[in-house]
Amino acid sequence: MVLLPLLVGGRRDEEKSRAKERVFSFRDVNQTWDPKNQRPELWNLYNTRIHKGESIRVFPLSNWTEKDIWQYIEKEKLEVVPLYYAKVRPVVKRGENYILVDDERMRLNPGEEVEYKSVRFRTLGCYPLTGGTLSEADTIEKIVEETLHYQNSERTTRVIDQDGGSASMEVRKREGYF
Amino acid sequence: MKDLLKFLTCGSVDDGKSTLIGRLLSDANLLFQDQKEALKTNSYADLLDGLMAEREQGITIDVAYRYFTTENRSFIVADTPGHEQYTRNMAVGASFASLAVLLIDVTYGDLKVQTYRHARICRMMGIDYFVFALNKMDKVDYAEDCYLSFKNKVQALCEELQISHACILPIAAKKGDNVVFASHNMPWYKGPTLLSYLEQVDVQEDKNLEGTILPIQRVCRPNSSYRGYQGELMRGSLAVGDEVYLLPTKERCHITSILWGDKQVQEACVHMPISIELDKDIDASRGNVFVKDIRVGISDHFEAKLIWMAEEQLSITKSYYLKLSTQVIPVQISSVLYQEDVETGIHKTNVNIGKNDIAGVEISASQKVILTEFEKEALMGRFLLIDRITNETVAGGIVLNAQSVGNNLVWQETDITKELRATSLKQKPITIWMTGLSGAGKSALANALEKKLYALNKHTMLLDGDNIRMGLNKDLKFKEADRSENIRRIAEVAKLMNDAGLIVMTAFISPFEEDRQLARDIIGQDAFYEVYVSTPLEVCEARDVKGLYQKARLGNISNFTGISSPYEVPENPNYTMNMSEGSIEAAADLLLEELVKKGLI
């Protein structure tokens, strides 16, 4: 038997279909997730047995929150991608999100204008579907402080999560995303 | 960091679980702005029911986990489904939590079957702390006598299940009474609100924290100078210089170094993932357990309580994998002792065990299991049963009695041991397991090797595919379940012969990794030597000694390995031998040389 787990950083506090995911999350031969028939996961015991072609996504950080992540980064002095820190950046406002105007790939819609705002990214996804958050937090300490007082949940800045209403993440996961 | 309480909400469908959590988060001002916006158009339950099917049907199918922090404490709450159909998902939430909030609908005349079932499962999963939230008090005009009559019923249930920490709380989740804010509608109730109770309850107080348990997850040998045993320290602490005791071999040794990640440390405490080095070479592998100052048992026959989770009924003729701590061992359920009635707790006998049933059973294992009664030490007393063919988790269980008494089949410990027999024969018993396609040369190689061993005055036995199928296994066909049973019986026979001190050779196609793994589990890692006879298919087919390939190509034989059924190449055989060219004699010489070099002969 071949065990091919994929370790990933998804957390249950990110989004409500992720809140339903097991730590060891099973995918069938077509890479799809069957949320109505997940393997029971009791105590700290994980059933890692699979057949050829099936796979398992492992989410060791399932029970961490956004706040836990930043407190851990602060405690262990970990290096993180600069986009997590606030900085004045060229952006356009699209809906509720500030989308980064990075280079010529980013095409402006009629009527959109580039603004310069101090923004940071709470979550990094594909471009240009991830919005920045207005923020002055340019150090880890300030990010921790800011995270403790967020008014909106983390993935509100992901444009892709809003496609097709409140279940879009689940639809994509069933189709094999993540 | 604030201290963390993990709890679940459970109870029958429509008793108001999701509404309660929504109300709790909302009143404690713990919702994000976007969630509050969503609440204007949706119900509280929609905040938690994250799956489309759940929202469509208005029910909870699987556990949802929510995270929140108040001034005093951090919480993770598992919101679990109330439908009987999804009981196993409720058990998942219960196994995760240290406190249960069990909702009860006071507009319903009595406690529901689901209430009893959930209380029983929470208890079985190891929960000691309960909040019984008597919900919908608004619907009964906040009447104290209604509260009192339910309180009596709950107290009777607590007595039966030996629950000593219970808070019985009248609430109205929809209206918010006694959730975060004390109710003005029930002045007769003087106890805490739900949130204040959750913030204050100490779920650690009774826990006995003596002793140390470190199950081996992996043996780490990056080079010849380091041999470390890795795992999570599940309980207690360890320091360099400590004497530990290895199970099941019962060897004593001392710790000479502890690595935590790549850092050397003098001491490690509970939950740290560590690698330890020892002062002497011992035979230890994954599944073995280091202990200190604690009694942990070793048994191959024990009594357990199961919650059955599969659609397929429990079968006493099937073999399952038992996963307990880091051990994975083939077992059989040797008998069903009773089914526990979820409502009354009465034991019923002579019944089939199906999905969501709770049953008392006896389990026999193919080798010694390191375990303890769940009551004494939860970590080593809880397990999963896994179907060996579908890989499904079919049951969760707890050990009730490590040495089963009602057992007629006790492995007879004899005075003359396997080691003594082997010593008198002046040899080391092993099983040399040949695997490969039909016609690859397994039997020929095994036969030649046996002659050479015989010439060396070794005591041997050769088990050959066709011979076994003509006698011992003549009742078996070639379908999947029979094929596994065929390999299981051969492995058991090989093991008995090893116990008699013999060197055993087997020549079976054994095409599936899973079956070879089972044979390895039964015979034992150290006595199992896998030889992959890797002669390619073209060569085997060209030889076609028995004319079988031709028949298979014509479709006269189904499930023929290499033609109509796959052969899974061993990933890590002890030895590989291609018998396309060269003499059988030379091949046997090479194999013998290798066995001698490894110190096995």
Side-chain angles (χ1 to χ4, degrees), chain B residues 255-304:
Chain B
I255 295 177
T256 55
S257 86
I258 301 176
L259 276 179
W260 176 37
D262 54 3
K263 275 181 246 167
Q264 287 279 354
V265 291
Q266 287 304 303
E267 228 179 319
C269 61
V270 68
H271 298 317
M272 277 166 64
I274 54 173
S275 310
I276 61 169
E277 280 182 292
L278 302 172
D279 61 343
K280 61 178 178 185
D281 274 342
I282 55 165
D283 177 15
S285 52
R286 179 179 165 95
N288 294 172
V289 181
F290 290 108
V291 293
K292 196 185 85 174
D293 305 327
I294 189 168
R295 257 201 89 242
V296 174
I298 303 169
S299 170
D300 55 8
H301 198 100
F302 57 94
E303 197 184 316

Coordinates of all heavy atoms in Angstrom, one line a residue, chain B residues 255-304:
Chain B
I255 N 18.0 6.8 28.5 CA 18.0 7.8 27.4 C 19.3 8.6 27.4 O 19.7 9.1 28.5 CB 16.8 8.8 27.6 CG1 15.5 8.0 27.4 CG2 16.9 9.9 26.6 CD1 14.3 8.8 27.6
T256 N 20.0 8.6 26.3 CA 21.3 9.3 26.2 C 21.1 10.7 25.5 O 22.0 11.6 25.7 CB 22.3 8.5 25.5 OG1 21.8 8.2 24.2 CG2 22.7 7.2 26.2
S257 N 20.1 10.9 24.7 CA 19.9 12.2 24.1 C 18.4 12.4 23.7 O 17.8 11.4 23.4 CB 20.8 12.4 22.9 OG 20.2 12.0 21.7
I258 N 18.0 13.7 23.7 CA 16.7 14.0 23.2 C 16.8 15.1 22.2 O 17.4 16.1 22.5 CB 15.8 14.4 24.4 CG1 15.7 13.4 25.5 CG2 14.4 14.8 23.9 CD1 14.9 13.8 26.7
L259 N 16.2 14.9 21.1 CA 16.1 15.9 20.0 C 14.7 16.4 19.9 O 13.8 15.6 19.8 CB 16.6 15.4 18.7 CG 18.1 15.4 18.3 CD1 18.2 14.8 16.9 CD2 18.7 16.7 18.4
W260 N 14.5 17.7 19.9 CA 13.2 18.3 19.7 C 13.3 19.1 18.4 O 14.0 20.1 18.4 CB 12.8 19.2 20.9 CG 11.5 19.9 20.8 CD1 10.4 19.4 20.2 CD2 11.2 21.2 21.2 NE1 9.4 20.3 20.3 CE2 9.9 21.5 20.9 CE3 12.0 22.2 21.9 CZ2 9.3 22.7 21.1 CZ3 11.3 23.4 22.2 CH2 10.0 23.6 21.8
G261 N 12.8 18.6 17.4 CA 13.1 19.2 16.1 C 14.6 18.9 15.9 O 15.1 17.8 16.0
D262 N 15.4 19.9 15.6 CA 16.8 19.7 15.4 C 17.6 20.3 16.7 O 18.8 20.4 16.6 CB 17.3 20.4 14.1 CG 17.0 21.8 14.0 OD1 16.3 22.4 15.0 OD2 17.3 22.5 13.0
K263 N 16.8 20.6 17.7 CA 17.5 21.1 18.9 C 17.7 20.0 20.0 O 16.8 19.3 20.3 CB 16.6 22.2 19.6 CG 16.8 23.6 19.0 CD 15.9 24.6 19.7 CE 14.8 25.1 18.7 NZ 13.7 25.8 19.3
Q264 N 18.9 20.0 20.5 CA 19.2 19.1 21.7 C 18.5 19.7 22.9 O 18.7 20.8 23.2 CB 20.7 19.0 21.9 CG 21.5 18.2 20.9 CD 21.4 16.7 21.1 OE1 20.9 16.3 22.2 NE2 21.9 16.0 20.2
V265 N 17.8 18.8 23.6 CA 17.2 19.3 24.9 C 17.5 18.3 26.0 O 17.8 17.1 25.7 CB 15.7 19.6 24.8 CG1 15.3 20.7 23.9 CG2 14.9 18.3 24.3
Q266 N 17.5 18.8 27.2 CA 17.7 17.9 28.4 C 16.5 17.2 28.8 O 16.5 16.2 29.4 CB 18.4 18.7 29.5 CG 19.8 19.1 29.3 CD 20.7 17.9 29.0 OE1 20.8 16.9 29.8 NE2 21.4 17.9 27.9
E267 N 15.4 17.9 28.6 CA 14.1 17.4 29.1 C 13.0 17.7 28.0 O 13.1 18.7 27.3 CB 13.7 18.2 30.3 CG 13.3 17.4 31.5 CD 13.0 18.2 32.7 OE1 13.7 19.1 33.0 OE2 12.0 17.9 33.3
A268 N 12.0 16.8 28.0 CA 10.9 17.0 27.1 C 9.6 16.8 27.9 O 9.5 16.0 28.8 CB 10.9 16.0 25.9
C269 N 8.6 17.6 27.5 CA 7.3 17.5 28.2 C 6.2 17.1 27.3 O 6.4 17.0 26.1 CB 7.0 18.7 29.0 SG 6.8 20.1 28.0
V270 N 5.0 16.8 27.8 CA 3.9 16.2 27.1 C 3.6 17.0 25.8 O 3.7 18.2 25.7 CB 2.7 16.1 28.0 CG1 2.1 17.5 28.4 CG2 1.6 15.3 27.4
H271 N 3.3 16.2 24.8 CA 2.9 16.7 23.4 C 4.1 17.1 22.6 O 3.9 17.5 21.4 CB 1.9 17.8 23.4 CG 0.6 17.3 24.0 ND1 0.0 16.1 23.7 CD2 -0.2 17.9 25.0 CE1 -1.1 16.0 24.4 NE2 -1.3 17.0 25.2
M272 N 5.3 17.1 23.1 CA 6.5 17.5 22.2 C 6.8 16.3 21.3 O 6.8 15.1 21.7 CB 7.7 17.8 23.1 CG 7.6 19.3 23.6 SD 8.8 19.7 24.9 CE 10.3 19.4 24.1
P273 N 7.0 16.6 20.0 CA 7.5 15.5 19.1 C 9.0 15.4 19.3 O 9.7 16.4 19.1 CB 7.1 16.1 17.7 CG 7.0 17.6 17.9 CD 6.8 17.9 19.4
I274 N 9.5 14.3 19.6 CA 10.9 14.1 20.0 C 11.5 12.9 19.3 O 10.8 12.0 18.9 CB 11.1 14.1 21.5 CG1 10.3 12.9 22.1 CG2 10.8 15.4 22.2 CD1 10.6 12.7 23.6
S275 N 12.9 12.9 19.3 CA 13.6 11.7 18.9 C 14.5 11.4 20.1 O 15.2 12.3 20.6 CB 14.5 12.0 17.7 OG 13.8 12.6 16.7
I276 N 14.5 10.2 20.5 CA 15.4 9.8 21.7 C 16.4 8.8 21.2 O 16.2 8.0 20.3 CB 14.6 9.3 22.9 CG1 13.9 8.0 22.6 CG2 13.7 10.3 23.4 CD1 13.3 7.3 23.8
E277 N 17.7 8.9 21.8 CA 18.7 7.9 21.6 C 18.8 7.1 22.9 O 18.6 7.6 24.0 CB 20.0 8.5 21.2 CG 20.2 8.9 19.8 CD 21.5 9.5 19.6 OE1 21.8 10.6 20.1 OE2 22.3 8.9 18.9
L278 N 19.3 5.8 22.8 CA 19.4 5.0 24.0 C 20.8 4.5 24.2 O 21.6 4.6 23.3 CB 18.4 3.8 23.8 CG 17.0 4.1 23.6 CD1 16.2 2.8 23.2 CD2 16.4 4.7 24.8
D279 N 21.0 4.0 25.4 CA 22.4 3.6 25.8 C 22.7 2.2 25.2 O 23.8 1.8 25.4 CB 22.6 3.6 27.3 CG 21.6 2.7 28.0 OD1 20.6 2.3 27.4 OD2 21.8 2.4 29.2
K280 N 21.7 1.5 24.6 CA 22.1 0.2 24.1 C 21.2 -0.1 22.8 O 20.2 0.5 22.7 CB 22.0 -0.9 25.1 CG 20.6 -1.0 25.7 CD 20.6 -2.2 26.7 CE 19.2 -2.4 27.3 NZ 19.2 -3.4 28.4
D281 N 21.7 -1.0 22.0 CA 20.9 -1.4 20.8 C 19.8 -2.3 21.3 O 20.0 -3.3 21.9 CB 21.8 -2.2 19.9 CG 22.6 -1.2 19.0 OD1 22.2 0.0 18.9 OD2 23.6 -1.6 18.4
I282 N 18.6 -1.9 20.9 CA 17.5 -2.8 21.2 C 16.7 -2.9 19.9 O 16.8 -2.2 19.0 CB 16.5 -2.1 22.3 CG1 16.1 -0.7 21.9 CG2 17.2 -2.1 23.7 CD1 15.0 -0.2 22.7
D283 N 15.8 -4.0 20.0 CA 15.0 -4.2 18.8 C 13.6 -3.5 19.0 O 12.8 -4.0 19.7 CB 14.8 -5.8 18.8 CG 13.9 -6.2 17.6 OD1 13.6 -5.3 16.7 OD2 13.4 -7.3 17.7
A284 N 13.5 -2.4 18.4 CA 12.3 -1.6 18.6 C 11.8 -1.1 17.3 O 12.6 -0.6 16.4 CB 12.5 -0.4 19.5
S285 N 10.5 -1.1 17.0 CA 10.0 -0.6 15.8 C 8.7 0.2 16.0 O 8.2 0.2 17.1 CB 9.8 -1.7 14.8 OG 9.1 -2.8 15.4
R286 N 8.1 0.7 14.9 CA 6.9 1.5 15.0 C 5.8 0.6 15.7 O 5.7 -0.5 15.4 CB 6.4 1.8 13.6 CG 5.1 2.6 13.6 CD 4.7 3.0 12.2 NE 3.3 3.4 12.2 CZ 2.9 4.7 12.3 NH1 3.7 5.6 12.3 NH2 1.6 5.0 12.3
G287 N 5.1 1.3 16.5 CA 4.0 0.6 17.3 C 4.5 0.2 18.7 O 3.7 0.1 19.6
N288 N 5.8 0.0 18.9 CA 6.3 -0.3 20.2 C 6.2 1.0 21.1 O 6.0 2.1 20.5 CB 7.8 -0.7 20.2 CG 8.0 -2.1 19.5 OD1 9.1 -2.5 19.2 ND2 6.9 -2.8 19.1
V289 N 6.2 0.8 22.4 CA 5.9 1.9 23.3 C 6.9 2.0 24.4 O 7.2 1.0 25.0 CB 4.5 1.8 23.9 CG1 4.2 3.0 24.8 CG2 3.4 1.7 22.8
F290 N 7.5 3.2 24.6 CA 8.4 3.4 25.8 C 7.5 3.9 26.9 O 6.7 4.8 26.7 CB 9.4 4.5 25.5 CG 10.5 4.0 24.5 CD1 10.6 4.5 23.3 CD2 11.5 3.1 24.9 CE1 11.5 4.1 22.4 CE2 12.4 2.6 24.1 CZ 12.5 3.2 22.8
V291 N 7.7 3.3 28.1 CA 6.9 3.8 29.3 C 7.8 4.0 30.5 O 8.9 3.4 30.5 CB 5.8 2.8 29.7 CG1 4.7 2.7 28.6 CG2 6.4 1.4 30.0
K292 N 7.3 4.8 31.4 CA 8.0 5.1 32.6 C 7.0 5.3 33.7 O 6.0 6.0 33.5 CB 8.9 6.3 32.5 CG 10.0 6.5 33.5 CD 10.7 7.8 33.3 CE 9.9 8.9 34.0 NZ 10.6 10.2 34.0
D293 N 7.1 4.6 34.8 CA 6.3 4.8 36.0 C 4.8 4.6 35.7 O 3.9 5.4 36.1 CB 6.4 6.2 36.6 CG 7.9 6.4 37.0 OD1 8.6 5.5 37.3 OD2 8.3 7.6 36.9
I294 N 4.4 3.7 34.8 CA 3.0 3.5 34.5 C 2.9 2.0 34.1 O 3.8 1.5 33.5 CB 2.5 4.4 33.5 CG1 1.0 4.4 33.3 CG2 3.2 4.2 32.1 CD1 0.4 5.5 32.5
R295 N 1.7 1.4 34.4 CA 1.5 0.0 34.0 C 0.7 0.0 32.7 O -0.4 0.6 32.7 CB 0.7 -0.7 35.1 CG 1.6 -1.7 35.9 CD 0.7 -2.7 36.6 NE 0.6 -3.9 35.8 CZ -0.6 -4.4 35.4 NH1 -1.7 -3.7 35.7 NH2 -0.7 -5.5 34.7
V296 N 1.2 -0.6 31.7 CA 0.5 -0.7 30.4 C 0.6 -2.2 30.1 O 1.6 -2.9 30.3 CB 1.2 0.1 29.3 CG1 0.5 -0.2 28.0 CG2 1.1 1.6 29.6
G297 N -0.6 -2.8 29.7 CA -0.6 -4.2 29.5 C -0.3 -4.7 28.1 O -0.1 -3.9 27.1
I298 N -0.1 -6.0 27.9 CA 0.1 -6.6 26.6 C -0.8 -7.8 26.5 O -0.9 -8.6 27.4 CB 1.6 -7.1 26.5 CG1 2.6 -6.0 26.8 CG2 1.9 -7.8 25.2 CD1 4.0 -6.5 27.0
S299 N -1.6 -7.8 25.4 CA -2.6 -8.9 25.4 C -2.9 -9.1 23.9 O -2.9 -8.2 23.1 CB -3.8 -8.4 26.1 OG -4.9 -9.3 25.9
D300 N -3.3 -10.4 23.6 CA -3.8 -10.6 22.2 C -5.2 -11.1 22.2 O -5.8 -11.5 21.3 CB -2.9 -11.7 21.5 CG -2.8 -13.0 22.3 OD1 -3.5 -13.1 23.3 OD2 -2.0 -13.8 21.9
H301 N -5.9 -10.9 23.4 CA -7.3 -11.2 23.5 C -7.9 -10.3 24.5 O -7.6 -10.4 25.7 CB -7.5 -12.7 23.8 CG -8.9 -13.2 23.5 ND1 -9.2 -13.9 22.3 CD2 -10.1 -13.0 24.1 CE1 -10.5 -14.1 22.3 NE2 -11.0 -13.6 23.3
F302 N -8.8 -9.5 24.1 CA -9.4 -8.5 25.1 C -10.8 -8.2 24.8 O -11.4 -8.5 23.8 CB -8.5 -7.3 25.1 CG -8.4 -6.6 23.8 CD1 -9.3 -5.5 23.5 CD2 -7.4 -6.9 22.9 CE1 -9.2 -4.9 22.2 CE2 -7.3 -6.3 21.7 CZ -8.2 -5.3 21.4
E303 N -11.5 -7.7 25.9 CA -12.9 -7.3 25.7 C -13.0 -5.8 25.5 O -12.3 -5.0 26.1 CB -13.5 -7.6 27.1 CG -15.0 -7.7 27.0 CD -15.6 -8.0 28.4 OE1 -15.1 -8.8 29.1 OE2 -16.6 -7.3 28.7
A304 N -13.9 -5.4 24.6 CA -14.0 -4.0 24.2 C -15.4 -3.6 24.0 O -16.3 -4.5 23.8 CB -13.2 -3.8 22.9

